[in-house]
Amino acid sequence: MTVAHDRVPDMKKIPPLPDIFLDNIPTIPHAFEAAEACAVTLTLSFFCLILVHKHRFVIFRRYFSIIGTVFLLRALTMMSTTLSVPGEHLNNCEIRVGDSWDEKLQHVIYIWRGAGMSISGVRTCGDYMFSGHTAVLTVLNLFVCEYTSARLKFIQTLSWSLNFFGAFFILAAHEHYTIDVIVAFYITSRTFAYYHVLANSLAHKQRNSQELTWSWFPLYSYFEENVRR
């Protein structure tokens, strides 16, 4: 994110790209803060689930394995192609981090301390493809829905609502392009589904499946070794 920030094109020379959603919806003030409020609510719901679930450590391991895989893919995509700034109001993108490793390290700590959230005072640019906020919203929603009882329909409905409203607010704030949000939702949901198909089946015990599994989730066998099926 630190390197991608300094690779953002000059806003004065390269305007925002054409986008079917952003071109037709005006910027809504404080919409991004509303998206992060949705993320915070889902995070609290996830930790409540962790506290009461008897397989909390299994859930934790799966969460970090999936979110780690998703954000590794995100690091590759944001470094591969740098999109122009999606909103003209994002004037902080003109501020560069600097070339020295000390300046870059300070910026990394700055992002880490604020959990990458604007409500903590963190503002980043260049990390557009794909949306990290949408990825976090989606993975938290999927974990809450997967590991709560089917009888708790209200919680699951609320979780999905927070996921989709959060994604809408990200776009309404003009903080990401529409494709950033769509790709984030798709990659995160497919990674979650793929991991759990493996975790809930015996296919992973076959040699070919083990090789394919290792390529996607190198620590899968270690995390799932003692899980009862």
Side-chain angles (χ1 to χ4, degrees):
M1 292 174 69
T2 298
V3 175
H5 184 98
D6 279 350
R7 297 180 66 229
V8 174
D10 189 341
M11 295 175 61
K12 298 177 181 178
K13 297 180 180 180
I14 303 179
L17 298 172
D19 186 284
I20 193 169
F21 187 96
L22 304 188
D23 291 345
N24 293 283
I25 301 296
T27 305
I28 300 177
H30 307 297
F32 201 54
E33 286 81 357
E36 293 185 336
C38 292
V40 170
T41 304
L42 280 171
T43 301
L44 293 174
S45 301
F46 176 71
F47 278 106
C48 288
L49 170 66
I50 290 294
L51 289 175
V52 301
H53 204 286
K54 64 179 179 180
H55 298 303
R56 59 182 64 90
F57 294 111
V58 174
I59 297 174
F60 243 150
R61 292 199 301 265
R62 291 177 177 177
Y63 171 80
F64 284 115
S65 181
I66 292 170
I67 200 70
T69 301
V70 169
F71 271 79
L72 177 61
L73 290 171
R74 181 172 184 253
L76 294 174
T77 57
M78 77 169 71
M79 288 297 298
S80 300
T81 304
T82 303
L83 303 178
S84 60
V85 180
E88 296 179 355
H89 64 290
L90 301 173
N91 50 18
N92 60 296
C93 294
E94 299 177 355
I95 303 174
R96 302 303 178 183
V97 174
D99 295 327
S100 71
W101 284 105
D102 183 60
E103 290 174 317
K104 293 184 184 298
L105 180 60
Q106 289 180 8
H107 195 251
V108 169
I109 296 173
Y110 158 74
I111 295 173
W112 178 78
R113 289 177 60 183
M117 303 182 74
S118 64
I119 56 177
S120 301
V122 176
R123 302 297 301 184
T124 60
C125 295
D127 55 331
Y128 299 126
M129 177 56 70
F130 46 90
S131 169
H133 281 71
T134 304
V136 170
L137 284 164
T138 303
V139 76
L140 289 171
N141 164 43
L142 293 173
F143 267 94
V144 169
C145 291
E146 177 71 17
Y147 293 102
T148 53
S149 172
R151 294 174 295 178
L152 301 176
K153 293 292 185 182
F154 171 76
I155 293 178
Q156 296 178 0
T157 301
L158 179 61
S159 180
W160 275 106
S161 298
L162 288 169
N163 190 172
F164 286 122
F165 273 110
F168 169 79
F169 287 135
I170 290 170
L171 292 174
H174 288 211
E175 293 279 345
H176 276 281
Y177 292 104
T178 305
I179 192 173
D180 302 343
V181 172
I182 294 174
V183 170
F185 180 83
Y186 181 81
I187 288 179
T188 306
S189 60
R190 292 313 90 197
T191 304
F192 179 92
Y194 179 53
Y195 190 101
H196 282 79
V197 166
L198 288 171
N200 295 328
S201 69
L202 299 178
H204 66 280
K205 292 185 178 180
Q206 300 174 4
R207 183 176 178 180
N208 292 337
S209 296
Q210 286 180 342
E211 294 174 356
L212 181 61
T213 300
W214 191 91
S215 66
W216 275 91
F217 305 106
L219 297 178
Y220 174 85
S221 298
Y222 174 75
F223 286 155
E224 300 292 327
E225 182 179 6
N226 296 322
V227 177
R228 295 181 180 180
R229 292 177 174 80

